[in-house]
Structures are given as structure tokens and as C-alpha cells.
Amino acid sequence: MTEDTDDILTRLPARLKEARRAKGLSLEAVANLSGVSRSMVSQIERGESSPTISTLWNLTRALQVDFAGLLEEGSVADQIEVLRRAEVPSIDNMGQNCRIRILSPPEEAGGHEVYDIQFDQDGGLNSQPHARGAQEQLTVLEGAVRVTSGSAVSELQQGDTARYAADVVHAISAKGPARVFLIVKNA
């Protein structure tokens, strides 16, 4: 083997592991997404096994990284993932007179979720209880909203932040146009 080939084989395990961690994925998640067994992913990351081109291709597609980029000199950590406004996923069929933009990565669903919610006149979002111990933190960016968590009710103005239980019935409502930044943290 040439020195270049040895260098690539030395860098590859660490690069795959960096890419997986940067995406916040477990070994199990990568295995499910790639079709490569969890034990094989682990062996490759530890440098105990050299992947076939097919296996490497499946892993890079699951991790959404450039195949050639894994082998370049630059670090996988030296990247900024950007989603342009038009690319940010949204939910328009939930709630009443509101648009929900999902700012957190898909792999965070059910864990730590981040939303940008815009309410029109008489907008509202009523939510059933999340997992036990779940909490929400809401900051009003524009307008005013009413937050209800169980039997507690609070009126919030622009710049106010509220933290409340989300493992009970809870709601956000706005009489006029408003915009909030919402973080949902499931236990």
C-alpha cells in the first residue's frame, strides 16, 4: 500500500465517527438508516474493519456526507450546515391560524425540539400531554400570547419567556398576530 492509502485508511474511521456524532446519531440509528449492522459500524469506527465501497457508500448516504469529503484533509467538524428559509420544514395543518417552522434536526424529534411559530389573528395551538417530565420554554418574539399549562395561565408580551410543564394539557393562543420561539424538551 502507498502512504496515501495508509493515510486514508487511518483517517476514515475517525471521520465516520465525527460525521455520526455531528448528526447526533447513535450507532443503532446509523445502522437502521444505512442497512449496515450496528456491530459493523462500530468495528469500522474503531478501525477494526475496512469497509467495502458499497458499505462506505451506504454509510455516507445515511450520514448525509460527501463520499469524497470523508477522505479529504479538512475536518468534518469544519462545516456549517445551513438550511435556507425555503428549506426549513413546516407544519401548516396543526393548530388554528398558525404556521410552525421546525428548526431542530429530524433526529432530535422526541428529544429536544425547536420551533418558530407564527400566529395570525385568533391563532392557537392546543397540545395534548407529552412524555412524563416534558418541559417547554417559550419566548415571545413579536406580539403577545397566552400560555396555559394544566390549570396555570400566563399572559406574555414581546421579550417575555415562560417555562412550563408539557406533560399536561397545554396551549398557546394569540388574539392578534404574534411570533414565538418554542423549545420542547422531553424527559
Side-chain angles (χ1 to χ4, degrees):
M1 263 189 229
T2 67
E3 178 118 3
D4 288 340
T5 304
D6 288 341
D7 195 32
I8 288 170
L9 291 176
T10 301
R11 284 194 314 260
L12 184 61
R15 295 285 174 79
L16 284 170
K17 190 173 192 174
E18 285 174 17
R20 176 177 63 79
R21 287 185 171 169
K23 296 285 186 188
L25 297 173
S26 66
L27 288 170
E28 190 68 31
V30 171
N32 290 336
L33 291 168
S34 68
V36 176
S37 74
R38 182 187 183 284
S39 61
M40 178 56 76
V41 174
S42 178
Q43 288 173 12
I44 293 167
E45 285 188 359
R46 291 192 314 265
E48 296 173 359
S49 179
S50 295
T52 63
I53 295 295
S54 174
T55 298
L56 188 56
W57 178 255
N58 289 338
L59 290 172
T60 57
R61 287 183 50 118
L63 294 169
Q64 299 176 340
V65 294
D66 178 40
F67 185 87
L70 281 176
L71 308 178
E72 292 174 352
E73 288 295 323
S75 170
V76 173
D78 293 342
Q79 297 179 10
I80 298 174
E81 181 180 354
V82 175
L83 284 173
R84 299 293 176 201
R85 183 181 186 98
E87 299 169 331
V88 174
S90 66
I91 306 169
D92 295 325
N93 60 352
M94 206 170 164
Q96 176 183 327
N97 296 329
C98 70
R99 284 170 304 292
I100 304 169
R101 296 178 67 230
I102 306 167
L103 303 179
S104 49
E107 61 270 13
E108 293 291 319
H112 189 90
E113 302 167 8
V114 181
Y115 300 99
D116 176 0
I117 306 175
Q118 193 158 8
F119 295 96
D120 293 332
Q121 187 77 29
D122 296 320
L125 181 61
N126 298 317
S127 300
Q128 292 301 309
H130 301 314
R132 184 179 176 138
Q135 294 278 314
E136 289 187 358
Q137 177 173 310
L138 176 144
T139 299
V140 181
L141 301 175
E142 299 169 6
V145 299
R146 171 182 281 200
V147 174
T148 304
S149 174
S151 61
V153 178
S154 188
E155 303 286 338
L156 303 171
Q157 303 296 317
Q158 183 174 343
D160 293 345
T161 296
R163 295 179 187 96
Y164 51 91
D167 58 358
V168 295
V169 173
H170 54 287
I172 308 163
S173 61
K175 290 195 183 293
R179 183 173 170 216
V180 302
F181 183 77
L182 178 69
I183 299 171
V184 180
K185 184 175 180 189
N186 286 302

